[in-house]
Amino acid sequence: MHTQFASPGLVEAIVEGGLDPAGDPRWAESGAASPAEYARWAGHLCGMACLRMALGSGAPSLFALRDGALKYDAYTEDADGVIKGLVYAPFARYTSEVHGLDAVVHRHLSPAGILDLLDQGRRVMVSVHYGIRHPEQPAPGRGGHLVLLTSRTPDGAGVHFHNPSGTTAATRAADLPLPVFERFFAGRGVCLPAAPVAAA
């Protein structure tokens, strides 16, 4: 699976240890033009990492996908240079028109609705709090980060998902009971057709 940072082994140091992403020695693999561009954008590209996974093998680089999304205004920057996004409707148009994936926006999505979509063979990119990588702790909030749900858990009662900012193998490809997942879930997302999750 893909992470939103080029070096999976450095994700924890970046997102929890304060490491400057510009120090990632593999930054160029992301497609960024410079370490500075990589450092500025990588933390915002969880949605592009999810899209890479949904596209499977041969997917464009993280920053090539970002460039495409920018052309559709799926990301914007305010006057102070603050990055805004991912904006679902233009992202869905970009995904459908450029990559041929039938993307559908769900502005009001219940946990039961997620299971229904998974049962239909869809993949579901949903908004969760990044604290989902620590499900044993209270949820600090809901939303602000994107993960890709690919199936129910083997017992049928939970969800299996891929987290672009997971800090370990177990949090990058995780299983959670639905009530635990729901604590972090913002109730919205974008569903995509079934596709293989790309290997790292």
Side-chain angles (χ1 to χ4, degrees):
M1 67 156 290
H2 295 292
T3 61
Q4 65 196 88
F5 299 97
S7 295
L10 292 180
V11 174
E12 183 173 14
I14 292 170
V15 301
E16 295 186 346
L19 177 69
D20 184 348
D24 185 338
R26 295 173 58 183
W27 68 266
E29 295 175 28
S30 70
S34 67
E37 181 185 44
Y38 172 77
R40 181 167 182 259
W41 274 92
H44 298 276
L45 298 182
C46 47
M48 297 301 97
C50 289
L51 179 56
R52 286 193 82 201
M53 289 186 273
L55 289 169
S57 61
S61 71
L62 198 64
F63 276 74
L65 292 174
R66 180 217 57 176
D67 290 345
L70 278 170
K71 292 175 183 176
Y72 277 73
D73 294 323
Y75 291 103
T76 60
E77 299 179 59
D78 67 17
D80 295 323
V82 176
I83 298 165
K84 305 287 187 180
L86 188 70
V87 186
Y88 288 176
F91 167 76
R93 287 196 300 274
Y94 165 60
T95 302
S96 298
E97 293 178 11
V98 175
H99 299 290
L101 296 183
D102 175 28
V104 179
V105 175
H106 296 269
R107 299 191 185 283
H108 304 284
L109 185 60
S110 68
I114 288 174
L115 295 182
D116 287 344
L117 290 168
L118 294 174
D119 289 345
Q120 294 168 32
R122 306 283 286 181
R123 302 292 186 257
V124 193
M125 194 173 80
V126 297
S127 178
V128 299
H129 192 279
Y130 61 79
I132 201 166
R133 69 175 77 99
H134 297 296
E136 74 285 356
Q137 298 178 9
R142 298 171 185 256
H145 178 56
L146 292 161
V147 299
L148 183 69
L149 284 76
T150 60
S151 66
R152 289 183 185 239
T153 50
D155 65 6
V159 289
H160 177 77
F161 62 94
H162 296 266
N163 182 355
S165 70
T167 53
T168 64
T171 58
R172 284 192 282 274
D175 290 346
L176 283 181
L178 203 58
V180 176
F181 178 83
E182 187 176 4
R183 291 193 281 112
F184 300 87
F185 175 46
R188 57 185 180 270
V190 179
C191 76
L192 303 165
V197 174

